[in-house]
Amino acid sequence: MKKIILSDHITEVLDERHKQREGRNVIRLEDYRNELKKRQDMIDESRRFLKESLREGRFIEAIRNTMEYYKRKKSEKPLYPTLEGPDVKERRYASGRDGEWKVDKYFGHRLNDEWAILAGYRNVRGEIDRLLVGLGGIFAMEIKNIKGNVSCSGNDWKRSFYIDGIPKEEPIIDGKDDGKRRGPGRQLNEPADVLEKYLNKTFPSCRICRIIVFTHEKTKLGSLEGHAMDEVVLLGNWQLEETLEKSSFRMTGPELEKMVRKIENSHQFHDRIIRSHGGSKEAA
C-alpha cells in the first residue's frame, strides 16, 4: 500500500501546542532557578559579612551577622514549579493522531501496492482523515479514537461512558470554535460531496463510499439510525473485504493514477484558498 501525505495538520497543531507549552515551562524553570540563586546569593553575602566582622574583631557586628546568616539559611526555599502538561485539547488531538496511525497500520497489513491511502485531504468544506483509492473504488474515512457506547440519530452522534462510576453522555462533534460544530457524519459527508462532484467531471460514474471508523478498543456501537454512511465500523472487528465490496466503481491502472493526481490537485487548490483566508490549522 502506498501512503501519500497531502497534509498533516493534526501533527502541526500538536507540535505548535507542545512548543508553546514547553516555552512556558522553560520560563517557569528559569524563574525558579533565579529565585534559588537569589536566595543563595543572600546566604553567601551574610556568610561573607560574618567572616569579615570576625576577622576584624567587630564582635557585636559579628553577632548580628551570625543571626542574619542563620535567618537567611533557614529561609524557605522556592517551591519547585508545577510544570504544565498537555491540556484537554492537546490530549484530544494526540488521541486523534493515534487513531489515524492505527488505521494506517491496519491497511498496511492488508493491502498491496494496488491501493493508495491519501492522508489529510481537505477542501473548503473540511478535511477527510483518510482516502483509500484503488482499482476497486474510492473510500473516504472519518476516524474517531474515542471510547464509550456510540449511538446516533441522523446527524446527531453521542457517546455514553462512565467516570468514577458515574454515567456521562456527550455529543460527538468536531473541535471547531465557530459555533457550527458538526458530528462525524457531516464532518465526512460535506468535504466528500465537494470532492465527489469534482471527480465526477472526469469520472462520471465515480461514487465515494463513506465510512466512519472507531479505533478505540473500548468503543461499542449502539443504535445507529439515519446516519447516511455506507458503513460504521469498529477497527477491532472490521471486515475490510466486505467494505471494499460495497463500491460498484472500478478503475483501470491508468485511471487510478489519474484519480490520485486529481485528488492531489483538488487538495492543493483548496489548501491555497484556505491558507489565503487565514484558515486555522485546527479547523478540521
Side-chain angles (χ1 to χ4, degrees), residues 19-72:
K19 179 181 177 181
Q20 293 176 359
R21 176 166 54 83
E22 287 303 298
R24 292 190 292 270
N25 285 338
V26 166
I27 293 173
R28 289 188 178 98
L29 287 171
E30 187 64 25
D31 290 344
Y32 167 72
R33 286 190 286 264
N34 288 338
E35 288 296 316
L36 277 181
K37 185 178 184 301
K38 180 180 178 181
R39 177 179 180 274
Q40 189 59 48
D41 287 346
M42 293 178 67
I43 293 172
D44 293 342
E45 180 184 60
S46 294
R47 184 188 295 113
R48 186 173 67 255
F49 288 161
L50 174 58
K51 288 181 178 180
E52 288 177 358
S53 59
L54 288 172
R55 185 171 58 251
E56 296 174 3
R58 293 181 275 112
F59 298 112
I60 294 178
E61 186 176 330
I63 292 173
R64 288 199 301 268
N65 288 337
T66 299
M67 294 174 64
E68 184 65 21
Y69 168 71
Y70 281 106
K71 177 183 176 181
R72 291 180 175 181

Side-chain angles (χ1 to χ4, degrees), residues 138 192-208 210 249 259 262:
I138 176 170
D193 287 344
V194 172
L195 177 60
E196 186 176 84
K197 183 177 180 180
Y198 168 71
L199 294 175
N200 281 157
K201 296 176 182 178
T202 306
F203 304 92
S205 61
C206 171
R207 181 185 176 278
I208 299 175
R210 292 99 188 279
F249 176 59
M259 170 73 78
K262 296 288 285 185

Side-chain angles (χ1 to χ4, degrees), residues 75-166:
S75 65
E76 187 175 345
K77 292 183 178 180
L79 293 176
Y80 191 83
T82 300
L83 299 182
E84 186 178 341
D87 60 12
V88 172
K89 201 164 191 176
E90 188 174 344
R91 292 196 299 271
R92 178 168 57 80
Y93 274 98
S95 176
R97 182 177 61 180
D98 290 345
E100 292 177 357
W101 287 350
K102 290 177 185 177
V103 171
D104 291 342
K105 184 178 180 180
Y106 176 86
F107 287 141
H109 290 315
R110 291 165 175 81
L111 299 174
N112 57 30
D113 284 344
E114 293 180 354
W115 291 90
I117 186 82
L118 288 83
Y121 167 85
R122 68 172 181 168
N123 58 41
V124 292
R125 298 300 296 164
E127 183 171 328
I128 298 175
D129 292 331
R130 293 294 185 269
L131 280 167
L132 179 64
V133 185
L135 302 180
I138 176 170
F139 303 81
M141 282 158 278
E142 174 66 26
I143 300 169
K144 296 295 184 187
N145 190 30
I146 56 175
K147 64 180 179 180
N149 190 54
V150 173
S151 62
C152 81
S153 176
N155 288 320
D156 295 325
W157 293 74
K158 297 179 181 179
R159 70 178 180 121
S160 56
F161 53 97
Y162 288 86
I163 296 181
D164 298 328
I166 300 174

Side-chain angles (χ1 to χ4, degrees), residues 22 39 66 81 92 121 169 179 184 188 191 203 209 211 257 263 265:
E22 287 303 298
R39 177 179 180 274
T66 299
R92 178 168 57 80
Y121 167 85
E169 184 178 83
L188 182 56
F203 304 92
C209 289
I211 307 163
E257 293 180 7
I263 294 172
N265 291 340

